[in-house]
Amino acid sequence: MRWLTALLLALLLGLQYKLWSGEGGLLEVYELNRALERQRAENRELHSRNEALEAEVRDLKTGLEAIEERARRDLGMIAEDEVFFQVVDPEDIRNDEP
C-alpha cells in the first residue's frame, strides 16, 4: 500500500511538472500570450502609420495643393506673382548694432 501511494505521488508530481514547465505548459502559454499582445500593439501602431502614409500618397497623387504646400514648407518656394514678406524681430536688429 505504501509503494502505491509513493508511485501515485511521484506520478502526480511528474504530471504537475510537465503541466507547469514542460513544452506547451502553462508558463510557455503565458509567455506566448504576452508576446502575442506585444505584437498586436506593434501591428496597431504600424497600421496607423501606414494609413497616414497612404493618405499622404493619395494627396500627392491627386492634388496639386498637397505638392504646393510641401514645396512651400520644405523648400521655401513661393508662387509666381506672390509677394514675400520677411518679418524681423526688432530685438534681433538691436543686438547686431555695435
Side-chain angles (χ1 to χ4, degrees):
M1 184 69 169
R2 201 166 229 189
W3 63 271
L4 182 60
T5 304
L7 178 65
L8 288 176
L9 184 60
L11 184 60
L12 178 65
L13 290 175
L15 290 173
Q16 284 293 313
Y17 175 78
K18 183 155 178 72
L19 174 69
W20 289 97
S21 62
E23 185 178 330
L26 293 177
L27 292 177
E28 184 179 0
V29 169
Y30 175 73
E31 288 298 322
L32 288 173
N33 282 334
R34 287 183 55 201
L36 179 64
E37 201 51 48
R38 284 191 303 268
Q39 188 63 53
R40 284 182 176 158
E42 183 180 348
N43 288 351
R44 282 190 296 270
E45 290 175 19
L46 292 174
H47 183 71
S48 296
R49 190 179 104 203
N50 285 346
E51 286 179 343
L53 289 173
E54 285 176 7
E56 186 175 350
V57 167
R58 257 191 320 276
D59 286 346
L60 290 173
K61 283 183 176 179
T62 59
L64 293 177
E65 293 167 0
I67 295 171
E68 183 179 334
E69 187 268 329
R70 261 205 143 152
R72 289 173 184 275
R73 184 186 67 219
D74 298 342
L75 303 174
M77 299 181 85
I78 58 173
E80 195 172 314
D81 297 329
E82 280 187 335
V83 178
F84 176 74
F85 293 96
Q86 183 175 7
V87 180
V88 179
D89 188 8
E91 290 294 320
D92 290 339
I93 295 173
R94 285 189 214 131
N95 291 337
D96 289 341
E97 294 178 3

